[in-house]
Amino acid sequence: MGIIPGAVLFDMDGTLFDSELATILCWETVVQAGCAKNIRDTLLRCLGITEEETRQVFQEVYGPDFPYDACLRRVRLLRRERYGGGRMPVKEGARALLTYFRRQGVPLAVASSTPTEEACLELEEGGLLPFFKAVAGGDRVEHGKPAPDVFLLAAAELGVDPADCWVIEDSFNGVRAACAAGMRTVMVPDLMAPDDEMRRLTAAILPTLTEVRSFFCRENNARRMRI
């Protein structure tokens, strides 16, 4: 018998969609060289956190006068221009994994730092929204990841005890948040390679969502798979 979770909560950007690199490329286009040095390094610090927390990081790195809101508006427009309408690539194995859980009767939710309306639009355009009973966005909680708030909200909306939830995440902050919520986590790294902290906090670290499906299906669940 494989693992049958009480519920599974998915991060969105970098987990269901190959969108984190896409967003970084948009930022690099909007913020011309010299205006914000090492912009990619700064954005990597912001993986998994809310827009408000990202604003704080930018102001810490580039000063309080950095025009974050104006840049963010331009990034959003450019991202829609490049990837809107369902053009954002879905991660390998995502649909098969979601279909597997649905057939097992496992309730699913998205717990994302992205604002809820934006997350729902992207999920709808990508054909993934019907899989989920709830979408909890970063605009609906007081504290973003690595605080547990968004995962606890998603679990509450599904009516499932946090201890019975599994989380699928790609980011360090997301893994920390899931751990703080008392949930078990499978990490599928995207832009940042896992370190010893991530190995300590996760039940498994796997290269793709295809392997995540195998992890939940396989007969012997005692062996922890690592990359």
Side-chain angles (χ1 to χ4, degrees):
M1 292 289 292
I3 301 170
I4 306 297
V8 179
L9 314 181
F10 284 82
D11 175 54
M12 188 180 77
D13 290 304
T15 299
L16 291 171
F17 292 103
D18 195 9
S19 50
E20 288 183 338
L21 180 58
T23 300
I24 287 175
L25 293 173
C26 290
W27 269 100
E28 289 178 336
T29 299
V30 167
V31 181
Q32 299 299 318
C35 296
K37 294 181 180 179
N38 302 318
I39 185 71
R40 184 169 294 211
D41 291 341
T42 302
L43 289 165
L44 289 175
R45 286 181 54 186
C46 300
L47 294 179
I49 66 176
T50 65
E51 289 180 358
E52 178 56 37
E53 291 163 332
T54 300
R55 178 187 293 105
Q56 293 171 11
V57 171
F58 268 72
Q59 291 177 342
E60 172 192 329
V61 174
Y62 301 117
D65 295 330
F66 182 83
Y68 175 80
D69 292 324
C71 290
L72 179 61
R73 285 192 294 272
R74 292 171 62 195
V75 167
R76 281 176 168 166
L77 288 172
L78 184 58
R79 180 170 153 149
R80 288 296 302 166
E81 178 183 318
R82 290 179 176 178
Y83 304 105
R87 288 174 291 172
M88 185 65 73
V90 176
K91 283 284 191 173
E92 175 191 342
R95 288 191 176 88
L97 178 60
L98 295 171
T99 299
Y100 167 76
F101 283 134
R102 182 165 63 182
R103 287 174 177 169
Q104 297 296 320
V106 177
L108 306 177
V110 167
S112 173
S113 297
T114 299
T116 306
E117 184 176 353
E118 185 178 335
C120 286
L121 176 61
E122 192 157 302
L123 290 164
E124 182 178 20
E125 291 182 340
L128 302 184
L129 188 60
F131 288 100
F132 298 102
K133 293 186 176 180
V135 177
D139 58 320
R140 299 182 58 204
V141 293
E142 183 177 358
H143 303 291
K145 302 172 186 178
D149 301 30
V150 73
F151 287 120
L152 294 174
L153 173 61
E157 294 200 334
L158 292 179
V160 178
D161 189 315
D164 294 329
C165 294
W166 283 75
V167 171
I168 314 298
E169 260 285 359
D170 73 290
S171 75
F172 283 36
N173 284 321
V175 169
R176 292 167 183 143
C179 184
M183 302 174 181
R184 287 166 288 184
T185 308
V186 175
M187 185 183 193
V188 184
D190 185 29
L191 298 183
M192 296 183 68
D195 61 7
D196 288 342
E197 179 195 7
M198 295 298 103
R199 294 183 182 93
R200 186 175 68 254
L201 294 180
T202 56
I205 301 177
L206 301 167
T208 71
L209 296 176
T210 299
E211 280 74 16
V212 174
R213 183 179 181 278
S214 297
F215 172 81
F216 282 97
C217 288
R218 72 177 185 266
E219 195 169 84
N220 177 15
N221 293 306
R223 183 171 62 88
R224 291 163 63 90
M225 300 176 66
R226 295 295 178 185
I227 61 172

